[in-house]
Amino acid sequence: MACHSTPSDVPGGPVSTEDKVLETGASMVQEFNPTKQLCAHLNAFHTYADEPGRFVEANHYCAHLSEDVRQCILYDGPGKDARLIGVEYMITERLYAGLEPEERRLWHSHVYEVKSGMLTLPGGPSAPGLRTAWETAETREMEHVVGLYGKVYHLWQTDRGDPLPIGPPQLMTSFIADGQIDFDTAVADRDARFGTDWKRNKELRRDIPVPQIHPDADAAWKRRNSM
C-alpha cells in the first residue's frame, strides 16, 4: 500500500519518485498491525475546551483495546490525503469513576452527540434492505457509545488555516446541549457530503436510555456557564 499523497494546502512539493519507491517497497514487507485493528469510522464535531463554540469536524478511526477502552485517530476528512489532527480515548463509566477529580474534568460525555443524531457512522449502504440492517447495527453501536467518556486532544488547528500543527495540543470537548452548534448548517453540510441524516439518527435513537452523566465531566461548558 503506497502512502504518497500530498494535500494541496500543505507546504512542500510533491513526494519525490525516490520516496514513492521506498514507501511502496516498505509497504510490501512491513506489518501495520496497530492500524489494522481500526474497525469503525465515526464522524462528529469537537469544540475547543478553552473556547466552547469554536468547533472542528472530526473523522474518528477507532479500535478497541479492551471492552472498556477504545482509541481513535482523528482526521480532518475521509480521503487518502486527510490530515491527522488529533487523538481521542474513550472509556467506560466504571473506569472514569476511578480517575482523580482533576483528571475527570478533562473528559467529556457522549450523551448529546448520540441522542441528537450528530454522531454518525458514515458509509452505510443505500439499498433499502441493507440500509435498514445498517441502521439497526449503528443504533446498537450508539447504545454502547452513549455511556462512554472521551478525552481528546487536537494537534492541528485546521479550522483557523494553520499550514502545519502549530502550538501546544488543544484539549477539546463535545457539545452537550441544543443551541451550541447550528445543526441546519454545520451538521447538515456534513450529512450532504456523507449521505447521513442527523434527524433520522435522532429518531432511531429515541429509545436509547440516557445514562446519568458524572458531575465532573464536560467541565469546559460548566466553566463557561458560570462566568
Side-chain angles (χ1 to χ4, degrees), residues 9-117:
D9 52 353
V10 172
V15 177
S16 69
T17 299
E18 179 182 7
D19 280 340
K20 291 179 181 179
V21 172
L22 291 171
E23 291 171 358
T24 301
S27 69
M28 294 174 66
V29 297
Q30 289 185 312
E31 295 289 341
F32 297 90
N33 288 322
T35 55
K36 288 179 180 177
Q37 307 313 307
L38 298 178
C39 58
H41 171 203
L42 295 88
N43 180 286
F45 295 82
H46 294 155
T47 187
Y48 289 81
D50 63 356
E51 194 177 343
R54 177 186 165 204
F55 64 87
V56 178
E57 182 181 336
N59 289 276
H60 308 54
Y61 294 87
C62 303
H64 284 266
L65 287 178
S66 72
E67 186 65 21
D68 292 316
V69 181
R70 305 183 187 197
Q71 58 183 9
C72 305
I73 308 170
L74 309 180
Y75 289 89
D76 67 343
K80 63 181 182 179
D81 61 350
R83 292 168 290 188
L84 194 159
I85 60 173
V87 294
E88 180 168 4
Y89 302 94
M90 301 180 190
I91 60 175
T92 58
E93 191 280 333
R94 181 180 68 85
L95 294 183
Y96 178 78
L99 300 175
E100 294 294 326
E102 281 301 311
E103 174 64 25
R104 287 198 296 259
R105 295 185 183 99
L106 301 176
W107 297 70
H108 62 267
S109 66
H110 287 97
V111 173
Y112 183 77
E113 285 187 355
V114 169
K115 295 291 287 183
S116 69

Side-chain angles (χ1 to χ4, degrees), residues 48-50 85-87 152-157 165-172:
Y48 289 81
D50 63 356
I85 60 173
V87 294
V152 55
Y153 282 93
H154 280 206
L155 310 173
W156 196 333
Q157 298 185 56
I166 304 297
Q170 298 294 307
L171 179 67
M172 309 294 281

